[in-house]
Amino acid sequence: MAGGNASGVVIEPWGEGDLDLLRRINAPEMMEHLGGPESEEKVLDRHRRYLEAREGGPEAMFRVVVPPGREAAGNIGYWEREWRGETVYETGWCILPEFGGRGVATAAGRLVVERARAQRRHRFLHAYPSVDHPASNAICRKLGFTLLGPCDFEYPPGRPMRCNDWRLEL
């Protein structure tokens, strides 16, 4: 991937062996825009939920894999949510810092858009990055999402968060 080439990035269904990846993603610098690190109990719960999320259902979670050594670079997925009176897909991702700035998240995002579109379940895919997270907002723009404007979320529950609402027609 020298020179910023993200070709060869793949997404694979989340598996039993991905718990260590989830623990790496749970680092303070990775969770800065998501309310901070979770407890080990919450990480284990999240891992179980990710294992149950399978394509064809209401959600799917993937590990992001990069060449040449097939290293796990992060995770990405989509899931259903109720938003402003309709059921939509939401997407989110976490890419480890050592893989940042190389187009990995954008390449994985394109793959997730294709997967969500192939489900033919919902008209829209939304992403809600923090207004203070320029990299994630830039990825939404690169993927062709339309910025609908800022909105308020509680994430994790009990913690107010100001996000941008990005929408892509599937």
Side-chain angles (χ1 to χ4, degrees):
M1 290 197 340
N5 182 359
S7 66
V9 170
V10 297
I11 58 175
E12 299 173 347
W14 194 260
E16 284 288 343
D18 292 323
L19 179 57
D20 284 339
L21 173 60
L22 193 55
R23 286 181 174 131
R24 290 181 64 202
I25 289 169
N26 193 46
E29 63 275 12
M30 294 287 299
M31 300 301 288
E32 175 185 357
H33 298 286
L34 297 171
E38 295 179 310
S39 69
E40 178 67 7
E41 179 182 357
K42 291 203 182 246
V43 169
L44 292 172
D45 286 344
R46 180 176 298 279
H47 180 59
R48 280 190 285 278
R49 284 194 323 271
Y50 285 4
L51 288 170
E52 293 169 2
R54 294 286 177 230
E55 277 188 282
E59 59 188 335
M61 288 303 298
F62 306 92
R63 78 178 147 272
V64 178
V65 179
V66 298
R70 297 193 34 80
E71 294 177 83
N75 69 357
I76 193 164
Y78 59 88
W79 52 92
E80 289 181 343
R81 77 168 301 123
E82 292 300 314
W83 185 246
R84 300 190 172 155
E86 68 179 313
T87 304
V88 300
Y89 276 136
E90 177 180 351
T91 186
W93 54 85
C94 288
I95 301 298
L96 296 168
E98 60 266 33
F99 298 98
R102 300 194 229 174
V104 172
T106 302
R110 285 189 187 103
L111 296 170
V112 154
V113 167
E114 290 173 13
R115 298 279 183 94
R117 185 172 280 137
Q119 297 304 312
R120 300 185 185 277
R121 289 173 70 107
H122 303 296
R123 181 176 177 191
F124 296 113
L125 175 68
H126 286 255
Y128 305 97
S130 168
V131 296
D132 299 323
H133 196 295
S136 284
N137 283 283
I139 290 164
C140 291
R141 195 174 303 106
K142 289 175 190 173
L143 291 173
F145 283 72
T146 299
L147 178 60
L148 300 181
C151 60
D152 292 315
F153 265 72
E154 265 192 42
Y155 189 85
R159 183 185 176 273
M161 183 176 167
R162 190 78 170 152
C163 298
N164 279 323
D165 180 4
W166 290 90
R167 182 179 75 186
L168 180 72
E169 188 160 354
L170 295 173

